Amino acid sequence: MESLVAAISPVFEIVKWLGDPIIRRISYIKNLEKNFKNLNEKASLLYSRRDDIKGEIRRHGSKGTATNECENWLKKVERLQDKVNVIEKEYHEEKICLMGWCPDVSLRLKLGKRTDESTNLIIDLLEKSPSWVGGVVVDAPTKIAEAVPAPTIEGNTSTDRTLQKILGCIKDIKKQKIGIWGMGGVGKTTVMKSLNNSAKITQLFEIVIWVTVSKDWSLRNVQNEIAKRLSLNLGSDESNDNMATRIYQELERQKFILLLDDMWEKIELDNVGIPRINLENGSKIVLTTRRLQVCKSMDTDVEIRVDILSEKEAWKLFQNKVGDVVENPSIQSLAKDVVKECHGLPLAIIVVGGSLRKEEDVHVWKNALDELRSPTICEIEDMEEQVFKSLKFSFDRLNNDNTKNCFLYGALYPEDREIPIDKLIEYWRGEGFIRGAGAYDKGHAIVKHLTDASLFESAETDSVKMHDVIRDLALRITSPTGEGCRFLVRAGVRISEPPREKEWENMERISLMHNKLKSLPQSPYCLELLTLLLQQNRTLTKIPASFFDHMASLRVLDLSDTSIESLPESICNLLSLRALFLNNCQNLKTLTSQVGALKELDVLALGDGTKIDCLPIEIEELTKLRLLHVSCHEVRVRISRLSLLEDLRIKVDPYDGRWDESFANCMTEEICSLRELTHLGFCFPNLECLEQFVQGSLSWKEKPLKTFQFVVGFFDPDFWLYTKGGRALALGDKVTTHANAIVEVLSRADALYLRCHGGVRDLVELGVENSNELRVCGIVRCQEMVTAMDWNRLQEETTALPNLKFLHLEFLPNLRSLWEGSMPPGTLSSLTQLILYCCPNLRELFSWRRINFQELPNLQELLVWKCDELEEIIVNEEEKVDQLQHDDDDDDALPSLLPKLRVLHLKKLPQLGSICKGVSLAFPALEEIEVYRCPNLKRLPVGIKKAPNLRKIRGERKWREALEWENDAIKQQLQPFFHAS
């Protein structure tokens, strides 16, 4: 028997070997439907993974670029997606064939085989993709200097003379450490900022590093700031010594200048990781301080005192701040005496001038002079008397106690940190400084008033800042011995242990934000505490059970960005609480029902990363709520009971199984009954839900929403940041743009975001009359879009998109032109930023044949990335254009198509051969050109006279060396502006 088995085994193997292909072929035909479904499921996972990766790349913006390995993976996904699209098309055609009664066996066989192969390829790509997540981006080339906002310094002023002294010392090889000192408010930081931004500095060093040290400095903070500039990825658990070693190794290879602003004591540079400064490496250190002794302790080679303004300079600055009222004969002499009391200190002049701006009452001026001349009634430490008196006068002149409290609140933030305006207003609201309907408008009015008075400084991204001297004033007023309320502020100083319980007593506001707290006191006794800010303590995992037992007066509590897993039951003791912030608490998965006891709650923020899946039903009892932000899918509470809601944001994924149509319809119906809404952020899973809202919402019809964020049919977390604070509409898939609800919302929107939309071929088809309000437009992954704007669709003299400022076109595989036809006058007249990213079939941006001179009169930034087929920026198609070539000395007749263009970034454009072939253009406003991975771009279309403001040209060394020049003169003129990237 065994011999028989042995004899026939080879036969079985042969039959099996021959039969396998037959079995597979039968499987291809028989299981086509099942395999096709599996293909779609796997493809959906792959596309989601790809979108996550590209989203990460996009979030890095100009600070990072995709790794080569990641780029290759993305290209494979794109190629595979094309194959899957073809399979999908053929599959549906096969299903249609004779209603399925007469299938083409040969076609099914081939289709089944390709389906199986593509599925295997997808699985392979999915298996390889996890290694990219979190590592898809490498740091973009570090800029020599990161520009910081700074006032313009006029020539031949004391500030300019100080700057020139510093520059002279920097050029002196014998002076390696330079100390700048002077009293608070004299303008040291202004000089330092101008130094940082100086083009002369970028010509002398490979990197400029700015660090604000401040009074509450720590070694780790200084190291972090330097590491950030050096693009070093440092772990939070890395030791200071290890960080110092890595910083040292990076700086040792570079010629650097380190700018240390606002030093209060000696820093051991060796501990930071700063290499010894010597003649060989040519590096420099410049520091500012209020104390000459700090300069000496740092062994500076020269100390430069920042002098006060001359009488003439002080008067001119005061005039600019106060306005023409100082020309009034009855006021002018008083004004000049007021300026004298400011003792030539720029900050004092600016702040006092701001408080008296356009003041026409002579009695007010007399009183101001009396107050400035009166003796200081409290002891002053670390701040000169005249500075304190000037700033204190401006504080005292604030129109009411509420405004004063709003100002003092800014001191709860860390020194030199930007303060988000919206968050600040929510705090003020919780405290009761602003009340009732229109609180946000009132809050913004207060911010403007404080900014106009120079007590706040405008910052980027809808934020403000406090000058360190002004913050000192606020902290002095709120100290236990001051005249104001009592603050305990230890914000941003990296403490890991909280203040002792004794220190919490009698305090009205405590800020321990931006630290490394690991614990909190068990039961601090602080019955008068109104505000407690604990956000950004990611090491805080637990709140003691009795922590809130003795905080009956607490109104504002912020626990955002902590790692707490639950709220203690003692939270129910906070019967006066008006604002509770729990944003981005990623370990917080449930919300205790005890919150139902917080009947005074006005603000409840649970969005942006907090993992709470379901709101407790007790939320319905918080009938005083005016703001509710959530990101959970199961909002089972009856929102309609919260009738006072003004700001409601529910951020969810419409494709999540829990957010089904019936649930969304029910929620939409609840929202429709709210009359007081001024802002709504909501995800409509389909067009029907949006139509239900537009037709039935009282706040939409009777009291139009001031701001809204509506998502219809897709989910993209970037959208919420992309359109913050506006009136935004986002459409996905095949949501028809001609539906009445879409047209109505679009006509009110100032931002439009299209993602994976299968129907829109160009923006013009949305209707010119429906898009006049648009300021921001982003179009991502719209397969059908061949041209962004087809002007041939417009009637003659019709102006389109007159208010559009930002246009972002990303991942448009079939885009072949920006626009077709002649652009009507006034169209795109407000456009300031144009970004094109990954449009592989785009060959040109602008065509001279269709272009009118200065048709984009306000375009300031043009960024073009990863457009594989792009050959020219402006195509020269007519012979008459060739006649516009001129020598560099004869530039008056040169065309200027983009008169306000300041920034031109061209990255990863392998086919780009020219900006505009055969033409030398004028770029009167151009300041910066960056070229990266554009190997065929051999010529720059500018000379120094064509671009008089050009100061930076960044590009790889190999590209710079291969550049061709019209003549040596132009090369010599532009050579100083080149920087390595």
Side-chain angles (χ1 to χ4, degrees):
M1 186 66 180
E2 290 180 0
S3 61
L4 177 62
V5 172
I8 66 175
S9 287
V11 177
F12 279 120
E13 290 300 319
I14 292 171
V15 172
K16 184 181 178 183
W17 179 74
L18 291 172
D20 274 352
I22 298 173
I23 294 170
R24 279 202 305 273
R25 291 180 182 183
I26 294 173
S27 175
Y28 292 152
I29 298 170
K30 180 181 178 182
N31 298 322
L32 178 59
E33 284 77 11
K34 183 176 75 173
N35 292 342
F36 180 74
K37 182 180 179 182
N38 186 43
L39 172 69
N40 273 337
E41 289 174 354
K42 292 290 190 293
S44 179
L45 285 173
L46 181 66
Y47 302 156
S48 295
R49 186 72 53 81
R50 174 200 58 191
D51 291 348
D52 288 343
I53 289 171
K54 287 185 173 179
E56 184 174 344
I57 295 169
R58 188 165 66 249
R59 277 192 291 275
H60 281 74
S62 60
K63 296 181 180 179
T65 185
T67 63
N68 290 331
E69 200 170 5
C70 177
E71 276 196 16
N72 290 334
W73 185 87
L74 290 171
K75 286 178 181 177
K76 288 179 182 179
V77 175
E78 297 295 340
R79 288 196 294 267
L80 187 55
Q81 184 175 14
D82 292 338
K83 291 181 180 180
V84 172
N85 289 340
V86 172
I87 290 172
E88 183 177 4
K89 181 180 178 183
E90 293 180 2
Y91 174 80
H92 290 298
E93 288 175 350
E94 194 274 338
K95 295 288 287 182
I96 293 171
C97 178
L98 295 181
M99 300 299 291
W101 289 103
C102 185
D104 186 328
V105 176
S106 175
L107 175 62
R108 284 180 70 87
L109 175 61
K110 292 177 181 177
L111 194 57
K113 182 179 180 182
R114 284 160 52 210
T115 299
D116 192 59
E117 290 172 347
S118 295
T119 302
N120 290 333
L121 287 173
I122 289 174
I123 292 171
D124 182 58
L125 286 171
L126 280 169
E127 288 175 351
K128 292 178 178 178
S129 68
S131 62
W132 310 134
V133 177
V136 301
V137 177
V138 294
D139 292 323
T142 303
K143 295 180 179 180
I144 291 181
E146 291 282 359
V148 293
T152 302
I153 293 180
E154 296 184 14
N156 198 29
T157 60
S158 59
T159 308
D160 177 61
R161 288 191 291 274
T162 302
L163 178 61
Q164 297 309 317
K165 281 183 192 176
I166 300 167
L167 286 169
C169 291
I170 289 172
K171 292 176 182 177
D172 187 341
I173 61 173
K174 296 180 180 179
K175 296 181 174 66
Q176 288 136 21
K177 289 184 185 177
I178 301 160
I180 314 234
W181 69 284
M183 67 180 70
V186 79
K188 301 182 297 298
T189 299
T190 297
V191 173
M192 194 75 125
K193 287 179 176 179
S194 297
L195 180 66
N196 177 85
N197 297 346
S198 170
K200 295 178 181 178
I201 289 295
T202 57
Q203 295 169 25
L204 295 172
F205 299 95
E206 295 178 84
I207 187 168
V208 181
I209 303 171
W210 172 287
V211 178
T212 300
V213 181
S214 73
K215 185 188 295 185
D216 295 322
W217 76 282
S218 71
L219 175 62
R220 193 56 175 253
N221 280 348
V222 172
Q223 288 179 321
N224 282 338
E225 290 300 309
I226 295 172
K228 190 191 305 181
R229 275 294 288 127
L230 297 174
S231 300
L232 294 177
N233 295 318
L234 301 176
S236 58
D237 57 346
E238 201 160 357
S239 70
N240 292 346
D241 288 344
N242 193 39
M243 288 182 72
T245 300
R246 294 184 62 188
I247 291 171
Y248 179 90
Q249 291 170 346
E250 188 68 26
L251 286 179
E252 193 180 28
R253 300 193 298 266
Q254 302 190 56
K255 182 181 180 183
F256 65 88
I257 181 168
L258 176 61
L259 308 180
L260 299 170
D261 188 42
D262 195 21
M263 286 183 59
W264 287 76
E265 58 185 278
K266 181 180 179 180
I267 293 177
E268 294 293 347
L269 297 177
D270 291 344
N271 295 341
V272 177
I274 309 301
R276 294 294 175 122
I277 307 299
N278 54 50
L279 292 175
E280 293 179 5
N281 57 35
S283 296
K284 305 274 183 176
I285 292 176
V286 183
L287 62 92
T288 70
T289 178
R290 298 185 194 179
R291 302 168 177 172
L292 177 60
Q293 186 56 40
V294 173
C295 294
K296 294 178 178 178
S297 70
M298 293 295 295
D299 297 324
T300 51
D301 298 306
V302 61
E303 296 80 37
I304 299 173
R305 180 171 182 171
V306 179
D307 292 325
I308 60 174
L309 300 180
S310 68
E311 188 175 328
K312 182 178 179 181
E313 291 167 352
W315 176 246
K316 184 176 181 181
L317 178 60
F318 191 74
Q319 280 180 305
N320 290 338
K321 196 64 187 176
V322 176
D324 295 337
V325 67
V326 294
E327 301 301 329
N328 185 329
S330 59
I331 289 176
Q332 190 174 84
S333 61
L334 292 168
K336 289 187 174 181
D337 286 338
V338 166
V339 173
K340 288 178 183 178
E341 293 302 319
C342 293
H343 301 277
L345 293 165
L347 180 62
I349 293 168
I350 289 169
V351 173
V352 171
S355 66
L356 292 168
R357 182 168 178 76
K358 297 183 179 180
E359 178 58 67
E360 297 180 352
D361 191 329
V362 175
H363 298 292
V364 171
W365 282 89
K366 289 180 178 179
N367 180 66
L369 186 57
D370 289 341
E371 290 190 31
L372 288 168
R373 284 174 172 170
S374 65
T376 305
I377 59 173
C378 65
E379 183 183 348
I380 297 166
E381 180 183 340
D382 295 331
M383 191 187 301
E384 287 69 14
E385 180 176 351
Q386 52 265 46
V387 181
F388 183 88
K389 282 201 299 183
S390 301
L391 303 185
K392 183 66 167 54
F393 160 77
S394 300
F395 169 77
D396 289 338
R397 266 188 56 80
L398 292 175
N399 49 19
N400 56 55
D401 288 342
N402 263 357
T403 305
K404 290 178 180 179
N405 282 325
C406 289
F407 160 70
L408 295 174
Y409 217 91
L412 295 172
Y413 277 81
E415 186 175 341
D416 294 303
R417 193 70 59 96
E418 290 189 1
I419 306 171
I421 292 173
D422 285 350
K423 193 65 173 287
L424 194 60
I425 291 173
E426 287 169 9
Y427 289 158
W428 293 347
R429 183 177 186 156
E431 278 267 11
F433 300 154
I434 48 180
R435 297 173 180 269
Y440 279 103
D441 291 338
K442 295 175 185 175
H444 280 282
I446 292 173
V447 170
K448 185 178 185 303
H449 180 66
L450 292 172
T451 305
D452 289 345
S454 298
L455 293 171
F456 280 171
E457 298 176 358
S458 294
E460 296 181 3
T461 63
D462 300 317
S463 301
V464 292
K465 290 179 72 175
M466 292 184 85
H467 190 286
D468 59 331
V469 177
I470 292 176
R471 183 172 180 268
D472 286 346
L473 167 74
L475 292 176
R476 173 64 55 188
I477 293 171
T478 58
S479 70
T481 58
E483 61 189 81
C485 47
R486 295 173 297 281
F487 283 18
L488 172 60
V489 181
R490 291 180 191 165
V493 293
R494 302 182 67 83
I495 56 174
S496 58
E497 297 295 328
R500 292 174 292 106
E501 285 196 20
K502 186 71 176 174
E503 295 181 75
W504 293 60
E505 294 180 10
N506 302 318
M507 289 298 168
E508 294 181 32
R509 295 183 181 94
I510 296 177
S511 175
L512 304 174
M513 67 169 80
H514 292 273
N515 282 308
K516 291 195 169 187
L517 293 180
K518 297 178 181 178
S519 63
L520 292 171
Q522 289 299 312
S523 184
Y525 193 83
C526 36
L527 296 178
E528 298 178 52
L529 188 63
L530 299 172
T531 288
L532 177 58
L533 304 181
L534 294 169
Q535 69 266 35
Q536 292 286 342
N537 280 284
R538 292 191 174 91
T539 49
L540 184 63
T541 59
K542 186 176 181 180
I543 300 175
S546 57
F547 181 71
F548 296 117
D549 279 352
H550 307 295
M551 297 185 187
S553 299
L554 194 65
R555 296 177 181 177
V556 176
L557 174 63
D558 198 336
L559 292 164
S560 301
D561 290 283
T562 61
S563 297
I564 60 171
E565 298 177 358
S566 63
L567 292 174
E569 290 190 4
S570 61
I571 192 83
C572 67
N573 294 322
L574 304 181
L575 299 180
S576 299
L577 196 67
R578 295 178 181 171
L580 175 60
F581 300 90
L582 294 165
N583 293 314
N584 203 30
C585 294
Q586 298 187 8
N587 294 334
L588 185 61
K589 297 180 180 179
T590 59
L591 186 64
T592 175
S593 60
Q594 300 288 338
V595 297
L598 310 180
K599 306 296 186 185
E600 297 297 316
L601 211 57
D602 184 284
V603 173
L604 179 58
L606 308 169
D608 300 326
T610 296
K611 300 300 183 182
I612 296 172
D613 277 334
C614 183
L615 289 182
I617 196 69
E618 287 78 8
I619 294 292
E620 291 182 8
E621 300 173 22
L622 307 180
T623 55
K624 292 187 178 182
L625 272 183
R626 293 182 181 272
L627 180 148
L628 176 61
H629 292 179
V630 297
S631 57
C632 49
H633 292 81
E634 297 187 48
V635 188
R636 301 295 176 182
V637 300
R638 287 170 292 176
I639 296 292
S640 58
R641 293 199 61 184
L642 309 177
S643 59
L644 297 180
L645 274 178
E646 297 174 12
D647 187 333
L648 174 63
R649 307 182 197 197
I650 304 177
K651 300 181 185 178
V652 296
D653 182 354
Y655 295 134
D656 187 284
R658 294 166 293 178
W659 193 253
D660 56 29
E661 288 187 21
S662 61
F663 183 62
N665 285 334
C666 182
M667 183 57 63
T668 302
E669 187 175 340
E670 289 281 310
I671 293 173
C672 283
S673 67
L674 299 174
R675 292 178 177 271
E676 302 300 321
L677 283 181
T678 58
H679 178 89
L680 175 63
F682 194 67
C683 298
F684 299 95
N686 52 45
L687 179 59
E688 289 72 23
C689 279
L690 179 66
E691 289 175 337
Q692 178 187 354
F693 172 80
V694 169
Q695 293 170 10
S697 170
L698 298 175
S699 58
W700 179 262
K701 285 182 173 181
E702 299 175 5
K703 187 179 180 181
L705 293 170
K706 293 180 180 178
T707 58
F708 57 82
Q709 291 171 295
F710 292 166
V711 177
V712 186
F714 85 107
F715 177 67
D716 186 342
D718 284 350
F719 166 75
W720 302 98
L721 298 174
Y722 186 84
T723 58
K724 183 180 178 182
R727 303 182 306 278
L729 173 65
L731 304 177
D733 295 340
K734 295 184 179 180
V735 179
T736 175
T737 57
H738 300 296
N740 291 337
I742 298 294
V743 170
E744 184 173 339
V745 174
L746 182 59
S747 65
R748 297 190 194 181
D750 61 16
L752 175 66
Y753 189 70
L754 300 178
R755 178 182 169 85
C756 299
H757 199 285
V760 174
R761 290 170 295 172
D762 76 290
L763 284 174
V764 177
E765 76 174 43
L766 297 175
V768 173
E769 67 282 0
N770 302 326
S771 49
N772 277 337
E773 297 296 317
L774 288 184
R775 294 184 302 105
V776 178
C777 182
I779 304 175
V780 181
R781 300 193 179 287
C782 295
Q783 302 283 335
E784 300 297 319
M785 187 161 283
V786 176
T787 183
M789 291 155 278
D790 187 352
W791 307 126
N792 294 317
R793 295 171 178 263
L794 293 178
Q795 297 179 358
E796 192 174 352
E797 301 301 319
T798 301
T799 299
L801 302 170
N803 295 304
L804 191 67
K805 291 186 175 183
F806 307 102
L807 177 60
H808 298 182
L809 306 174
E810 302 181 16
F811 303 113
L812 303 179
N814 296 308
L815 187 73
R816 301 187 185 280
S817 64
L818 282 183
W819 53 70
E820 294 292 334
S822 298
M823 185 185 294
T827 295
L828 295 178
S829 57
S830 300
L831 191 67
T832 60
Q833 185 184 72
L834 175 60
I835 295 179
L836 293 121
Y837 183 84
C838 206
C839 300
N841 283 306
L842 189 65
R843 293 182 178 273
E844 64 183 60
L845 294 193
F846 313 115
S847 172
W848 199 296
R849 176 172 51 82
R850 296 192 299 271
I851 211 165
N852 300 316
F853 284 170
Q854 297 191 12
E855 68 174 353
L856 297 174
N858 290 300
L859 187 66
Q860 297 180 26
E861 297 183 21
L862 177 59
L863 289 75
V864 189
W865 280 34
K866 291 189 65 178
C867 297
D868 294 345
E869 298 299 320
L870 188 70
E871 297 175 354
E872 289 187 75
I873 303 299
I874 303 172
V875 176
N876 174 6
E877 295 178 339
E878 298 186 7
E879 291 184 5
K880 66 179 182 180
V881 177
D882 294 331
Q883 301 170 9
L884 289 171
Q885 298 184 66
H886 299 271
D887 294 331
D888 199 48
D889 291 334
D890 182 20
D891 60 317
D892 292 339
L894 288 174
S896 175
L897 302 185
L898 304 171
K900 292 189 179 179
L901 186 69
R902 295 187 303 103
V903 177
L904 176 62
H905 285 188
L906 306 171
K907 299 185 178 184
K908 298 184 181 179
L909 308 173
Q911 301 301 322
L912 184 66
S914 67
I915 307 295
C916 186
K917 195 173 182 179
V919 180
S920 186
L921 300 174
F923 291 97
L926 190 62
E927 298 173 5
E928 177 181 326
I929 298 175
E930 184 166 3
V931 179
Y932 181 64
R933 293 194 194 177
C934 301
N936 293 316
L937 185 61
K938 302 294 185 182
R939 280 179 175 252
L940 293 177
V942 296
I944 195 66
K945 290 193 175 181
K946 278 83 170 180
N949 291 302
L950 186 63
R951 290 296 178 268
K952 297 177 184 177
I953 305 174
R954 302 188 185 281
E956 306 121 302
R957 185 181 299 276
K958 185 177 179 181
W959 169 76
R960 285 185 290 148
E961 292 173 350
L963 277 175
E964 300 171 358
W965 299 95
E966 201 170 309
N967 55 59
D968 285 339
I970 295 178
K971 180 179 180 180
Q972 294 300 320
Q973 290 168 347
L974 296 182
Q975 206 67 39
F977 304 138
F978 277 96
H979 302 297
S981 67

